[in-house]
Amino acid sequence: PIVVAPHQLLMMQFLTHPHRQRAACVLGAVDLAKTFDSVALVLWLLGKNPRRRIALLGAAEEQPKKVLKVVRTMIETSPELRLVFPELLPTRREGEPWTDTAITVDRPLGIKDASVVALGLESDRIPGSRWDVAVLDDFVNDENVRTPERRDWQHNLVQKRIVTRVDKKNGLLFMLSNAWHEDDSFQRHARVFPTITMRIDGTILLRNAPDFDADLIRPADDRDSSNPL
């Protein structure tokens, strides 16, 4: 059994809140369990709708493969998950993937792409894909933020190869990252999308999310919502 820390619960409330519409960003300090929240988010989204096609993305393939491994293991072995989503099961059809880079859950026929894939941003498996959800976790790093040219290249890569693959009507885009550079691809998206920043000293900042509130940030009281206290 896993005890969910308050900051993890807050992250999940933010990512699943209706304010996010199509996208949401989480900027957090190291070791705040952003990757674990990615696992929980994927399992929750698939449990709610097994027809979804989800992409786990990172600067290189190894990071999203780690996330997918936990997702796959939970579906295979977790009795607690089975209690919550009893119909979330591995595919029963031959030929559908259940590997370290792609898995397919039990779902209706006619869906071409796998349920969850793990990909690096430069993967040759991206062209032609269509996703309902994209989760970018730690997709910026020291190497791709080092110069203005690298930052521009990385941002264009995300825009052209990732954002365009997500369903434009009902698709969801989630970005989770540590702080690297004020003008990296994550920060450029965070200037537009609803964003929560969680610092190691406990400071929590919200941007582009005027409708989001939570008791974990501001305890409920009897004051009018317009009261800054």
Side-chain angles (χ1 to χ4, degrees):
I2 297 169
V3 177
V4 181
H7 70 275
Q8 290 178 283
L9 182 58
L10 179 61
M11 272 192 269
M12 292 303 295
Q13 289 177 347
F14 184 80
L15 291 172
T16 59
H17 192 269
H19 79 82
R20 55 159 170 70
Q21 298 179 3
R22 186 167 182 257
C25 299
V26 174
L27 178 64
V30 177
D31 291 334
L32 282 188
K34 297 185 301 299
T35 299
F36 181 80
D37 270 25
S38 298
V39 172
L41 183 66
V42 169
L43 291 170
W44 183 79
L45 289 169
L46 272 183
K48 290 286 188 180
N49 183 0
R51 295 175 176 83
R52 282 189 168 111
R53 301 158 300 170
I54 301 174
L56 297 169
L57 300 141
E61 191 174 279
E62 289 309 307
Q63 175 63 20
K65 280 174 64 175
K66 294 176 183 178
V67 179
L68 181 58
K69 180 180 180 180
V70 181
V71 170
R72 186 181 65 183
T73 301
M74 293 286 282
I75 294 174
E76 289 174 338
T77 64
S78 172
E80 292 86 1
L81 180 63
R82 195 61 43 81
L83 286 172
V84 180
F85 295 122
E87 297 181 1
L88 183 56
L89 301 166
T91 181
R92 293 175 289 180
R93 300 188 184 95
E94 290 187 9
E96 291 186 324
W98 192 261
T99 69
D100 59 350
T101 58
I103 65 171
T104 303
V105 299
D106 193 27
R107 63 186 185 182
L109 285 168
I111 303 172
K112 182 182 73 171
D113 294 294
S115 300
V116 189
V117 294
L119 299 165
L121 294 182
E122 299 181 63
S123 171
D124 57 9
R125 292 186 289 142
I126 290 178
S129 299
R130 290 292 182 272
W131 307 315
D132 301 301
V133 182
V135 181
L136 290 88
D137 185 11
D138 289 336
F139 64 102
V140 291
N141 56 34
D142 180 60
E143 181 181 349
N144 59 44
V145 305
R146 195 168 296 172
T147 66
E149 293 76 19
R150 289 294 294 174
R151 294 193 292 273
D152 288 342
W153 176 86
Q154 173 81 351
H155 186 64
N156 289 333
L157 187 72
V158 172
Q159 287 289 302
K160 293 177 180 178
R161 304 196 93 222
I162 307 305
V163 176
T164 58
R165 300 286 122 196
V166 181
D167 181 79
K168 288 180 171 55
K169 184 178 181 181
N170 299 309
L172 302 173
L173 183 64
F174 301 105
M175 297 185 176
L176 303 94
S177 181
N178 302 324
W180 285 99
H181 191 280
E182 61 184 9
D183 196 40
D184 63 31
S185 183
F186 177 88
Q187 295 287 2
R188 296 186 195 186
H189 286 97
R191 288 196 282 268
V192 179
F193 296 150
T195 300
I196 188 168
T197 298
M198 310 182 79
R199 295 179 176 169
I200 198 67
D201 64 359
T203 302
I204 296 170
L205 303 173
L206 293 171
R207 181 192 295 177
N208 306 321
D211 297 328
F212 179 74
D213 201 357
D215 288 349
L216 288 164
I217 300 175
R218 179 173 58 217
D221 55 42
D222 58 359
R223 295 184 177 93
D224 183 85
S225 60
S226 62
N227 189 327
L229 296 178

